Amino acid sequence: MGGEMRRVGGEGTRIWQMQLLWGIFFLVVFLGAVVVAWAVVVHGGAAVQKDVESKSGGGGGGGQEAAGKTPPAATEVYMVLLEGQPVVAYKGGVPGLTETAQLFTQRWEFLPHRSRVNTTDLVHKYRSYLVMKQDELLNSFFKNRRPYTKLYSYHHIVNGFAVELTAEEAELLGKAPGVVRIEKSYKVQKATVHTPYYLGLPKGIWAQEGGYLGAGEGIVIGLVDTGIDPTHPSFSVKGQKPYGPLRSYTGKCEVAPEFPLGSCNGKIIGAQHFAAAASKDGVFNASLYFASPLDGDGHGSHTASTAAGNHGVPVIVNGAFYGNASGMAPRARIAVYKALYRLIGGFIPDVVAACDQAVADGVNILSLSLGPNSPPGGSISTFFNVLDVALLNAVKANIVVVQAAGNGGPYEQTITSFSPWIISVGAGVDDRSYPNTITLGNRTVLPGTLLAPPTKGPLLYDMILAQDAVQGAGNPLYSPSDCQLPSLFNKLLVQGKLMICTFSFNFIFGGASMQQVVTTLEALGAAGLVMVVESDVAGSKFDPIPLTIPGIVIIDAMNSEILLDYYTTLTTKDAAGTPIHFGAQAKIGGGQIANYSGQGQQVALFSSRGPDVKDFNFNQADVLKPNVLAPGYLIWGAWTPIGIDNPNYMGQRWAMISGTSMATPHAAGLAALLKEKYPLWSPAALASAMTTTADVNDSRGFPLQAQEISGGSAPLLQAATPFDMGGGALNINAALNPGIIFDAGEDDYVTFLCTAEGVSPREVYASTGGVCPTAAVRSMDLNTPSITLVYLNGTEVISRTVTNVANNIETYTITWTNPADVAVTIAPLNFTIGGSGRPQSQRITFTLRATGASTISSFGQVLFTGDLGHRIHIPISITNKSPK
């Protein structure tokens, strides 16, 4: 699994245009998931519900809770949004309760001490009021019906609760006064040694923040994930500069037998878990999934170490040294909000509760390496589902929200992070690889990969094909070529030889594992492993993993055939087909040394692609997604030895895995560095700096490439578009000094939300505290650092406003490239900004005219070049063009 976030469902015939083999692949994955889920339910023991009272934020329904009682079988968990703004959006109006929204316009550190005390008191009073009103509604609704259980009370970034309801009760409650929206729970899935240097941090932004000893100082990154392993050296304070108290953060640290006192050590500044919805689903087993912040998976420790792990931690796996690891912001604090669990993933009410608590606690960055499998079916608009509304209010509290774009690539419209207030991160492939070779007895050298040691000495070793080593009648449940069962083979034949196994689809579907291959070969006394592939498609699915024995995987079908032909030619068999002489020999080179090509990032094959969608019917949105690219392929990070989701790393303290889950904490850690540099910048300003200075070309000036399916073992490379990479590959050193930015605030996002189809002004006001304008507004007018249009019928005029963030007067010149079938004009072409007495912002008007009819997306770019050296760019993306 390793961090994959698979997307299922949607308009398959329109979006998922795959070959039959890919259809079979996803079908088998789905059937495997069903079997695993059934096994968890049957063998995982009774579901254990955690104490929901501690997370409810205020009573459990005025004495009406049914602790210990089994709810009706037909109930499901629903989230209910109510009228009345949450804490971060409340602007007054309730007698006796002072406005709280203005408390989040400044960072806590910049408030005088008395204001801090008043802040806590005001928030507590209004929060208590919200909880009281929630309980009044629940008590009234369930009176004369049945006892109920309120799983969560949401109050900081959304006002509402999570509760168990039947479908009939949900329909009735949705009509109750004060109820804005009801949304049924759905599942979410979890979607570096080299990368700090690849991204140029040591000589760039780290150097400006006091080196790695100061990079991220005072910033709290909240990670909603699978928890953390507090014993990992990436999070140790031993030998580190002491972490003093941080008054801006008020979160707590849970204590459990497996997460003892002292687990929060200053580096880990807070740790909590959220499992009420998972418990109610009937599959949660506290002893298996750990009802505490402890990471039983590995994913959460990996993302935490990538974002903010200690600098210079040795990565040692199976005795081999792979370099020293560092997080992007090694001095940042880590706040853990566990809402995902091994084997089962997570449930959206738990995730919303975790985000709500993180904002209440005072995190600066919120990192979400998770997302749904497809647009939430219970919401009219992707921008108005409960999670996205909650994250909007988090942004209103000056928190930068970073989310995985999804792992549904390379197919279009597979994005699972939707809203413009979120930085949606795609996964890039950096320049590191782990090449390996095998030299045959005829001196042919074949390439391959595997993080494994070489064969001992300069000698060649005899090879034996797995099928030729089978003893007896075999076992119909195991394919000999998978090398999964030692008893299948004749040990005397295998001992001292290189055994040839096959990387089949059984390894991809989970029916076979590389670790079991190692167990088999060690039991047989083999000298090493040679693994061939049965097709290029299978080879393309292999990622190098660390092994303890000499070995290589030849991922190319043609080279696999060359090796097998060599073996067959030199193997003598009797009349019955039994091998009697093995003449094929080879030696394996080491695959534990990394190679660095210096290439620019490529968009990873699995990284989800745009265009963004605005509803469950996959109608496109005038919003660019993903927003930016960050390294997410074969990333080393912290792991927990008790993790069981990824068999390749069971028992290990480090893992090298791939996914937009890995790209997201890169972006979150880099955002923390930028936040430390510019603490008063809005989340939109920080996002603008990150996306408008991102790289769209490599060091040689060639466009960045995106990986596409080729049918071979290596992906096809094509020029990346904004729907692949957003603004480009994140360049945080350039983001330090953008010169001008595209800013947006609370009112701008509220106005955008008012354009969402099916969302009423009442719902917008109840959820955000914002009022929809009376005049007609368009989604395309949101001041984003991009221009994205689904339909260009004739001519459209769109404006953007840039704001000066530099110290000096500067004159900018605008140039651009036109998208195909579109003519663009821009005014003004030149402007001067900044300096005393001069404008600090400039409105830019873009006129786009369709010159040809087309339904194929086309792309352009607008470049702003300042005479003092500042240089930023924004992409133009147009899908449907129709001239009038």
Side-chain angles (χ1 to χ4, degrees):
M1 292 185 189
E4 294 185 357
M5 182 174 63
R6 297 182 180 86
R7 178 189 181 280
V8 296
E11 296 181 327
T13 56
R14 183 165 62 87
I15 298 173
W16 304 97
Q17 299 174 350
M18 293 188 251
Q19 297 174 351
L20 176 61
L21 182 61
W22 288 102
I24 296 172
F25 172 80
F26 284 107
L27 175 61
V28 174
V29 169
F30 172 75
L31 294 175
V34 172
V35 172
V36 169
W38 175 85
V40 169
V41 173
V42 174
H43 301 294
V48 179
Q49 179 185 346
K50 73 176 187 64
D51 178 11
V52 299
E53 178 70 19
S54 63
K55 300 291 185 186
S56 68
Q64 296 258 344
E65 293 197 1
K69 292 187 179 180
T70 303
T75 61
E76 294 184 83
V77 176
Y78 287 80
M79 295 172 291
V80 182
L81 294 187
L82 304 178
E83 291 181 344
Q85 293 80 48
V87 170
V88 302
Y90 174 60
K91 297 179 180 178
V94 178
L97 295 176
T98 305
E99 174 185 358
T100 55
Q102 41 79 22
L103 301 174
F104 300 92
T105 59
Q106 298 185 60
R107 277 186 61 181
W108 178 276
E109 299 94 301
F110 304 138
L111 292 173
H113 176 72
R114 184 173 181 179
S115 295
R116 296 174 189 158
V117 175
N118 290 341
T119 295
T120 303
D121 184 55
L122 293 175
V123 168
H124 176 74
K125 287 181 178 178
Y126 183 64
R127 182 180 61 198
S128 298
Y129 166 80
L130 292 179
V131 173
M132 178 190 70
K133 300 299 289 185
Q134 293 169 13
D135 292 342
E136 285 180 358
L137 173 63
L138 283 167
N139 289 336
S140 173
F141 180 78
F142 282 103
K143 185 177 181 180
N144 301 324
R145 278 194 172 91
R146 62 175 177 84
Y148 68 90
T149 300
K150 182 173 69 169
L151 304 182
Y152 291 112
S153 174
Y154 306 129
H155 36 65
H156 223 79
I157 51 179
V158 285
N159 174 27
F161 50 81
V163 66
E164 287 185 286
L165 301 169
T166 64
E168 181 182 3
E169 288 170 341
E171 184 177 359
L172 290 173
L173 185 57
K175 299 175 182 178
V179 174
V180 174
R181 184 176 291 269
I182 291 184
E183 191 171 311
K184 188 163 65 174
S185 172
Y186 55 88
K187 290 196 71 173
V188 293
Q189 302 295 332
K190 57 186 186 293
T192 107
V193 179
H194 171 54
T195 46
Y197 299 91
Y198 181 71
L199 297 172
L201 304 188
K203 295 182 179 180
I205 193 168
W206 282 3
Q208 295 196 29
E209 297 184 356
Y212 68 83
L213 292 175
E217 188 72 66
I219 301 296
V220 179
I221 302 177
L223 294 112
V224 180
D225 215 295
T226 65
I228 197 166
D229 178 358
T231 69
H232 198 280
S234 286
F235 316 120
S236 172
V237 295
K238 185 178 181 180
Q240 302 291 325
K241 186 172 69 174
Y243 286 96
L246 198 61
R247 290 179 296 182
S248 60
Y249 183 78
T250 60
K252 67 179 182 179
C253 186
E254 291 181 11
V255 175
E258 67 273 12
F259 202 83
L261 191 67
S263 295
C264 293
N265 55 7
K267 176 66 174 178
I268 302 174
I269 197 171
Q272 302 169 60
H273 86 287
F274 303 81
S279 298
K280 287 298 180 181
D281 191 70
V283 299
F284 189 81
N285 183 319
S287 61
L288 179 62
Y289 306 128
F290 303 113
S292 75
L294 181 67
D295 184 7
D297 178 282
H299 190 270
S301 299
H302 196 287
T303 56
S305 69
T306 302
N310 290 332
H311 178 268
V313 183
V315 178
I316 299 175
V317 180
N318 298 327
F321 173 65
Y322 290 99
N324 292 315
S326 175
M328 300 299 100
R331 277 296 292 181
R333 313 292 186 101
I334 296 169
V336 177
Y337 299 88
K338 179 179 174 180
L340 304 179
Y341 296 84
R342 61 184 183 184
L343 299 177
I344 62 173
F347 295 85
I348 199 64
D350 296 329
V351 172
V352 173
C355 294
D356 193 64
Q357 190 62 54
V359 175
D361 291 342
V363 303
N364 304 112
I365 311 291
L366 195 55
S367 181
L368 303 170
S369 288
L370 57 85
N373 286 328
S374 63
S379 58
I380 296 174
S381 167
T382 53
F383 311 125
F384 202 70
N385 69 80
V386 175
L387 177 61
D388 282 51
V389 171
L391 296 179
L392 169 57
N393 285 321
V395 169
K396 288 172 61 177
N398 283 322
I399 294 169
V400 179
V401 179
V402 185
Q403 186 181 22
N407 293 338
Y411 307 106
E412 67 175 19
Q413 288 187 260
T414 50
I415 288 290
T416 55
S417 174
F418 311 108
S419 295
W421 46 86
I422 300 168
I423 302 175
S424 306
V425 188
V429 178
D430 63 27
D431 69 335
R432 182 184 62 197
S433 61
Y434 288 92
N436 201 343
T437 60
I438 181 170
T439 303
L440 306 182
N442 61 6
R443 297 186 179 181
T444 298
V445 178
L446 300 176
T449 187
L450 196 61
L451 277 64
T455 48
K456 295 179 180 179
L459 300 178
L460 297 174
Y461 291 78
D462 291 342
M463 292 193 292
I464 184 169
L465 190 65
Q467 289 93 325
D468 290 342
V470 174
Q471 63 181 359
N475 187 323
L477 298 179
Y478 292 88
S479 170
S481 63
D482 290 343
C483 300
Q484 296 292 293
L485 193 64
S487 61
L488 283 177
F489 305 103
N490 185 328
K491 182 174 181 179
L492 293 178
L493 280 179
V494 176
Q495 196 165 22
K497 295 185 178 69
L498 299 176
M499 192 168 184
I500 304 174
C501 306
T502 302
F503 186 76
S504 67
F505 282 95
N506 286 336
F507 289 87
I508 300 171
F509 300 148
S513 75
M514 293 296 292
Q515 293 304 322
Q516 190 56 38
V517 173
V518 173
T519 300
T520 297
L521 269 62
E522 286 180 335
L524 297 173
L529 165 68
V530 178
M531 185 164 271
V532 296
V533 296
E534 54 188 15
S535 71
D536 281 335
V537 175
S540 70
K541 287 294 179 181
F542 180 78
D543 287 337
I545 60 172
L547 294 188
T548 56
I549 63 173
I552 185 172
V553 177
I554 300 172
I555 61 174
D556 181 85
M558 181 181 297
N559 287 327
S560 294
E561 193 65 32
I562 290 173
L563 184 140
L564 292 173
D565 286 346
Y566 167 72
Y567 172 83
T568 301
T569 300
L570 296 178
T571 301
T572 305
K573 298 184 179 182
D574 61 18
T578 303
I580 56 177
H581 174 72
F582 302 94
Q585 294 184 316
K587 64 178 180 180
I588 300 171
Q592 297 169 318
I593 305 299
N595 179 66
Y596 304 99
S597 68
Q599 74 175 28
Q601 281 191 66
Q602 297 174 356
V603 181
L605 185 70
F606 57 79
S607 187
S608 284
R609 313 297 167 91
D612 193 15
V613 298
K614 63 182 181 180
D615 55 37
F616 188 67
N617 294 320
F618 287 86
N619 290 307
Q620 295 179 22
D622 295 329
V623 175
L624 179 63
K625 293 292 173 178
N627 298 113
V628 76
L629 197 69
Y633 178 69
L634 297 182
I635 304 299
W636 282 111
W639 203 249
T640 177
I642 61 174
I644 59 175
D645 272 19
N646 191 324
N648 294 319
Y649 294 100
M650 288 179 64
Q652 303 288 358
R653 305 225 70 177
W654 297 92
M656 185 175 67
I657 56 179
S658 304
T660 52
S661 276
M662 286 60 255
T664 300
H666 275 91
L670 296 172
L673 298 177
L674 207 57
K675 181 79 170 176
E676 180 186 9
K677 181 74 173 178
Y678 302 112
L680 297 182
W681 281 18
S682 70
L686 294 168
S688 173
M690 294 167 70
T691 58
T692 59
T693 60
D695 295 329
V696 295
N697 297 314
D698 63 18
S699 59
R700 301 169 298 169
F702 295 112
L704 296 185
Q705 303 289 296
Q707 296 182 350
E708 304 289 343
I709 291 175
S710 67
S713 59
L716 175 70
L717 294 179
Q718 296 181 344
T721 75
F723 288 165
D724 301 322
M725 63 177 180
L730 210 164
N731 182 342
I732 198 64
N733 295 323
L736 272 174
N737 188 18
I740 52 177
I741 52 95
F742 295 77
D743 206 357
E746 172 186 346
D747 292 341
D748 302 300
Y749 291 131
V750 167
T751 299
F752 170 84
L753 203 54
C754 294
T755 69
E757 294 180 16
V759 179
S760 69
R762 168 181 170 264
E763 291 173 314
V764 172
Y765 177 76
S767 301
T768 68
V771 178
C772 289
T774 54
V777 292
R778 306 179 303 175
S779 59
M780 66 185 74
D781 289 327
L782 180 63
N783 199 46
T784 59
S786 60
I787 295 175
T788 306
L789 285 179
V790 178
Y791 296 101
L792 177 59
N793 295 315
T795 300
E796 290 284 2
V797 178
I798 300 171
S799 67
R800 292 289 185 268
T801 299
V802 295
T803 301
N804 177 56
V805 290
N807 295 322
N808 300 313
I809 300 173
E810 189 163 10
T811 298
Y812 284 85
T813 300
I814 303 177
T815 56
W816 66 92
T817 58
N818 287 324
D821 299 313
V822 177
V824 179
T825 56
I826 301 176
L829 296 178
N830 302 278
F831 63 90
T832 300
I833 197 170
S836 176
R838 287 183 174 272
Q840 297 301 312
S841 63
Q842 175 68 50
R843 184 182 178 91
I844 312 294
T845 301
F846 301 82
T847 302
L848 296 91
R849 179 174 58 87
T851 58
S854 173
T855 58
I856 299 174
S857 296
S858 57
F859 308 94
Q861 179 177 265
V862 181
L863 183 64
F864 295 74
T865 304
D867 60 2
L868 297 181
H870 292 109
R871 184 183 175 93
I872 68 166
H873 58 82
I874 64 170
I876 301 176
S877 309
I878 315 290
T879 301
N880 300 285
K881 284 84 62 175
S882 177
K884 287 187 177 179

